Amino acid sequence: MKRRPFLQTLCGAGLASAFASAQTASEKAPAKKLGWALVGLGSLSTHQIAPALLKTRNAKLTGLVSGSPDKTEKWSKQYSIDAAHIYSYERFDEIIKDPAIDVVYIVLPNSMHKEYVIRAAKAGKHVFCEKPMANDAEECREMIAACKEAGKLLGIGYRCQFVPHHVEAVRLAKEKVFGQVKHIQANFGFQSGDPKQWRLRKALAGGGAMMDVGVYALQSCRMLMGEEPTEVSAIETKTDPVKFAEVDETVNWQMKFPSGRMAQCCTTYLFNGYNDFTAVCERGKFSLGPAYSYSGLKGTCSGGKNYLDMPDVDHFQLEMEAFSQAILDGKEFHPSGEEGLRDMLVVDAIYRSIQSGKLEKVAPV
Ligand code: NAD
């Protein structure tokens, strides 16, 4: 299939444009490399984002924001970052005077996303923010408003939207290759380790497995259905009420879509093994599992042809190239803050349903 018609068939203009941006970013010789600063030099920044920034064609690591001088000293040597572009959290706002930094990537605990997105926008920088976007939909609205007011782009780190397996799965759904998608099951969880980590503190994480990895399953359902859920019902259970006193351990939830179709999902901090989705269609089904890992995604399809047998890509390289290209081209970016807001409206309804024990409506955008 030729690239343009293929793109036009993708689910929603947003996803098509995201994929187009990703493709364009890796095809075009860039006029310039935008400078990216990382805020928070933890696990994701260390093992995924910084290495990906060594490969990006139109972006490079030019700034660091951290509370740990030991870390910044090591990083500045490893990535040749001059001391003039290294900031503590207290001095963060001084990036307003730093022309080497075009984009700020927020890679902090979830509850800190709002504050740093708003401060970055006020400092006149474009902002890329890790998922989950914030603690709730209200915070998402404030972040969107701040970036709009500053005239800066806000992108959310939904890396799967740039991964060919996911893009192709959305095409299979949109083009009804196996007939209409009738039902989706999507699950993502893992066995949580250290009981002292911030992910188990509500004040820092906003919630538990649902906020951390449940959002991947939720995203898959929204993308593959091609419509927004209107009602949810959810239950949460704990096997370890002490370790998970502040956040959810395992959540099962169901979503009703306007067409009457349903999706069923599970997210957990209790066990490994759930990392997949299956879309059951009129004339067969297709699945990804693992679906949300950084590499090694595996698809299966009914019939003889496996449309989802694709090579690995660097998810972080693609998302950062796409965001940089949108800035360089003066275009909108998807997944934007609105995409994060849509997810968070559903997450808010899921938490309300856990509390009320009833079906809850998803609030409008
Ligand atoms: P991490 O704990 O490894 O790193 C967090 C960083 O924040 C650390 O450098 C820590 O020093 C810093 N920090 C600043 N103030 C802090 C405070 N008060 N408490 C705790 N840490 C503080 O976490 P991570 O795994 O790198 O996750 C960071 C963000 O990235 C989270 O929002 C997470 O959801 C997201 N994430 C996304 C993906 C993905 O695939 N897109 C994967 C992992 C994590």
Side-chain angles (χ1 to χ4, degrees):
M1 198 168 184
K2 289 236 170 20
R3 197 168 72 88
R4 283 293 149 200
F6 164 71
L7 289 174
Q8 279 153 10
T9 60
L10 287 177
C11 176
L15 192 55
S17 71
F19 187 73
S21 308
Q23 292 290 298
T24 313
S26 54
E27 282 169 10
K28 270 188 189 171
K32 135 173 212 214
K33 282 196 175 203
L34 294 182
W36 285 57
L38 297 183
V39 187
L41 308 180
S43 174
L44 188 67
S45 289
T46 304
H47 301 296
Q48 305 299 329
I49 299 171
L53 275 166
L54 293 174
K55 297 186 269 179
T56 41
R57 288 170 187 239
N58 52 8
K60 61 181 175 185
L61 182 60
T62 55
L64 304 173
V65 183
S66 167
S68 161
D70 290 352
K71 253 188 219 172
T72 50
E73 195 187 331
K74 184 167 166 254
W75 277 65
S76 69
K77 284 188 193 130
Q78 188 175 353
Y79 291 101
S80 307
I81 312 284
D82 191 88
H85 309 298
I86 297 175
Y87 300 86
S88 62
Y89 295 112
E90 293 74 29
R91 286 185 50 241
F92 174 66
D93 308 281
E94 293 174 25
I95 58 162
I96 194 169
K97 291 182 265 172
D98 193 335
I101 297 171
D102 303 291
V103 181
V104 172
Y105 192 163
I106 313 299
V107 203
L108 291 166
N110 310 338
S111 298
M112 300 173 76
H113 291 181
K114 181 186 111 174
E115 177 189 339
Y116 281 88
V117 165
I118 293 174
R119 284 171 72 179
K122 284 191 173 153
K125 307 298 177 184
H126 298 284
V127 200
F128 201 73
C129 178
E130 260 310 325
K131 50 54 58 183
M133 181 170 165
N135 284 347
D136 56 36
E138 201 37 54
E139 289 193 354
C140 296
R141 291 187 203 285
E142 288 178 53
M143 294 154 81
I144 293 166
C147 291
K148 206 171 192 176
E149 198 180 326
K152 296 293 160 188
L153 283 190
L154 170 59
I156 308 301
Y158 289 128
R159 57 185 168 78
C160 291
Q161 293 203 18
F162 299 90
V163 175
H165 304 74
H166 286 266
V167 173
E168 177 66 354
V170 171
R171 184 189 74 81
L172 296 178
K174 175 79 174 162
E175 292 188 1
K176 301 186 173 61
V177 172
F178 299 98
Q180 191 192 36
V181 172
K182 294 296 188 187
H183 190 266
I184 297 171
Q185 284 221 354
N187 312 291
F188 194 19
F190 65 94
Q191 187 176 6
S192 170
D194 180 8
K196 293 204 177 83
Q197 63 184 300
W198 65 260
R199 281 181 167 80
L200 305 186
R201 302 280 78 85
K202 187 162 170 51
L204 283 168
M210 183 66 231
M211 294 285 279
D212 192 10
V213 287
V215 288
Y216 287 90
L218 167 55
Q219 274 265 308
S220 287
C221 296
R222 290 183 45 244
M223 295 295 130
L224 295 168
M225 286 294 192
E227 56 181 348
E228 298 299 330
T230 50
E231 287 175 283
V232 303
S233 85
I235 53 170
E236 193 250 321
T237 57
K238 294 186 205 297
T239 62
D240 189 341
V242 176
K243 181 172 178 182
F244 299 101
E246 296 182 26
V247 299
D248 43 283
E249 182 191 297
T250 300
V251 178
N252 278 289
W253 80 97
Q254 299 176 316
M255 295 182 279
K256 250 166 90 171
F257 290 81
S259 58
R261 296 176 295 166
M262 284 187 72
Q264 183 153 325
C265 304
C266 178
T267 186
T268 187
Y269 273 162
L270 179 61
F271 53 86
N272 296 321
Y274 271 169
N275 177 351
D276 54 74
F277 70 73
T278 297
V280 180
C281 313
E282 282 169 299
R283 298 185 301 277
K285 59 184 179 180
F286 57 91
S287 311
L288 263 186
Y292 308 113
S293 310
Y294 300 140
S295 62
L297 308 193
K298 279 204 170 35
T300 50
C301 297
S302 295
K305 179 168 175 181
N306 187 355
Y307 294 88
L308 299 173
D309 182 13
M310 293 169 148
D312 277 337
V313 292
D314 186 321
H315 304 190
F316 295 90
Q317 178 189 356
L318 288 186
E319 69 175 14
M320 289 189 283
E321 284 185 347
F323 191 66
S324 299
Q325 201 60 46
I327 294 166
L328 289 166
D329 293 345
K331 292 195 171 146
E332 288 190 0
F333 177 79
H334 185 91
S336 65
E338 282 74 15
E339 179 75 357
L341 169 62
R342 282 186 186 281
D343 273 352
M344 209 45 67
L345 287 165
V346 182
V347 172
D348 286 354
I350 287 168
Y351 282 128
R352 282 201 307 278
S353 176
I354 288 169
Q355 289 304 318
S356 70
K358 293 181 184 153
L359 198 62
E360 293 284 345
K361 287 197 187 324
V362 178
V365 172

